[in-house]
Amino acid sequence: MTDPVPSPTPFNIAVGADTRLQAGERSQTPRIGRALSAAAGVTITGLDLARPLSPEIRDLIRTAFLEHHVVVFPDQALTREQQYAFTANFGEIEPHIGRSPQSKRYAVAHVISNVDGNGRPVDRSSSPVSNYRWHTDKAYYAVPPMLTALYAVELPPQGGDTEFANTERGYAALPLETKRRLAGLRVVFQWGAARNASGEPLTDAELRERPPVDHPLVRTHPETGKKALYLGNHASHILGMSKAEGAQLLEELLQHTTTPQFVYAHRWRRGDLVIWDNRCLLHRAVANYEMDKYRRILHRSVVRGTIPF
Ligand code: SIN
């Protein structure tokens, strides 16, 4: 699933003189590694993301992001404020709407974890709204985020990966006939849609707070022009189709675009900061560790996107 694919030799990129260096600081010399898989992913080393980025380095990261969709920056040491400042290089940060006390300071970078209010690890992976299901961040917003940044603070000794499925490649691999069938279809997203099937339907208050939105099932990347499937958890049905027919089509497409050939699995190391493009990827946390024994804590910030078309 994550076999490295052949790619040109990694290279150093000379970036203009950094005028903000303090005594003892090293210069920022980004080094772009090989592609991490055929599906997505590249590593950039040689950067301290706690420091301001020059316009050249920001552009270099943005180019790698558009080409590889997932960019990994190992060995970082970031406060939530520094993570916020780094992420803000790529657009307007969207504050998280959440209620759990451990996620306070939503506007800076909120906490993603398997930890309860007393700091103990718990297994919530079977929840219909859990991030252990394939999804793209906040697809149930009229204007969903373009980029997510996730920073590894505390990890289990093994496992706790995040998988990314490339929905551009998934779309490209569909037969022409299927592409014709999908053209123009719109998918309805609603936060917690999967709860309805789980016997714990959304309450009237929740329905009012998070009304459904619809987006194209095949969306066009606003920067690269490439088409990608747009679906995943919180997708409830397809406009103009019976609920059952729409659900079946969504499930078939999800199975297709999450087959191993389209997936990169990120094995976290503490201090990794990973950014990804929500406009052409699905992702999920992987329940491959003892969730009620080990804590997994990450800090997340998201950048506002544009209306999908
Ligand atoms: C997310 O769904 O944004 C976080 C994924 C993870 O916890 O690995």
Side-chain angles (χ1 to χ4, degrees):
M1 195 180 288
T2 57
D3 289 346
V5 290
S7 77
T9 311
F11 51 94
N12 286 310
I13 299 194
V15 175
D18 189 333
T19 52
R20 290 176 296 264
L21 284 188
Q22 307 289 316
E25 280 185 350
R26 284 178 299 124
S27 65
Q28 302 263 63
T29 310
R31 186 168 188 275
I32 303 187
R34 296 174 191 278
L36 293 167
S37 78
V42 75
T43 300
I44 301 184
T45 53
L47 288 179
D48 175 1
L49 302 185
R51 287 170 40 200
L53 301 182
S54 67
E56 292 91 341
I57 293 179
R58 193 191 53 219
D59 290 351
L60 177 142
I61 294 172
R62 201 167 182 115
T63 302
F65 171 76
L66 290 177
E67 186 176 343
H68 297 279
H69 317 310
V70 178
V71 185
V72 180
F73 302 92
D75 301 322
Q76 301 299 319
L78 298 172
T79 63
R80 283 160 86 169
E81 287 73 13
Q82 287 164 335
Q83 177 172 343
Y84 179 97
F86 167 73
T87 314
N89 280 291
F90 305 102
E92 182 193 341
I93 307 252
E94 195 160 81
H96 184 65
I97 301 170
R99 289 172 190 78
S100 84
Q102 62 161 330
S103 304
K104 278 182 193 157
R105 297 159 71 217
Y106 300 123
V108 184
H110 67 277
V111 177
I112 298 270
S113 82
N114 65 330
V115 170
D116 69 13
N118 298 314
R120 282 189 295 258
V122 283
D123 182 351
R124 297 196 198 96
S125 59
S126 60
S127 158
V129 294
S130 105
N131 57 353
Y132 290 78
R133 293 169 176 243
W134 286 111
H135 66 285
T136 156
D137 283 332
K138 302 178 197 288
Y140 44 84
Y141 280 17
V143 185
M146 47 90 76
L147 176 152
T148 300
L150 197 60
Y151 172 62
V153 176
E154 187 175 332
L155 296 170
Q158 281 176 340
D161 306 339
T162 302
E163 289 182 337
F164 299 92
N166 186 326
T167 52
E168 246 170 45
R169 286 191 176 230
Y171 175 76
L174 289 171
L176 194 56
E177 188 44 44
T178 310
K179 289 181 180 165
R180 286 206 185 103
R181 186 174 159 222
L182 303 187
L185 292 181
R186 295 191 68 84
V187 53
V188 178
F189 289 91
Q190 180 157 41
W191 180 84
R195 281 223 338 238
N196 294 329
S198 75
E200 195 200 341
L202 294 170
T203 63
D204 288 344
E206 285 172 329
L207 288 168
R208 270 196 307 277
E209 200 179 337
R210 288 166 158 153
V213 298
D214 56 275
H215 293 307
L217 176 57
V218 178
R219 67 176 292 184
T220 305
H221 196 291
E223 294 183 77
T224 65
K226 292 189 180 158
K227 291 187 171 172
L229 295 167
Y230 200 48
L231 71 179
N233 202 23
H234 308 290
S236 98
H237 59 283
I238 291 179
L239 290 181
M241 272 189 196
S242 75
K243 292 243 162 121
E245 196 190 353
Q248 189 183 334
L249 178 58
L250 289 168
E251 182 56 28
E252 282 169 15
L253 292 171
L254 186 71
Q255 291 300 327
H256 162 77
T257 201
T258 57
T259 51
Q261 62 178 315
F262 303 127
V263 172
Y264 163 62
H266 184 64
R267 313 234 143 82
W268 290 95
R269 290 177 55 208
R270 192 161 164 258
D272 281 354
L273 181 122
V274 175
I275 59 174
W276 68 81
D277 193 336
N278 286 302
R279 300 166 294 186
C280 54
L281 295 171
L282 288 159
H283 64 276
R284 66 173 177 184
V286 186
N288 59 353
Y289 68 105
E290 289 179 82
M291 271 174 274
D292 45 11
K293 186 165 175 194
Y294 296 111
R295 303 193 334 160
R296 178 181 186 270
I297 302 177
L298 303 105
H299 291 167
R300 187 173 83 158
S301 34
V302 301
V303 173
R304 193 175 160 83
T306 49
I307 296 174
F309 61 91

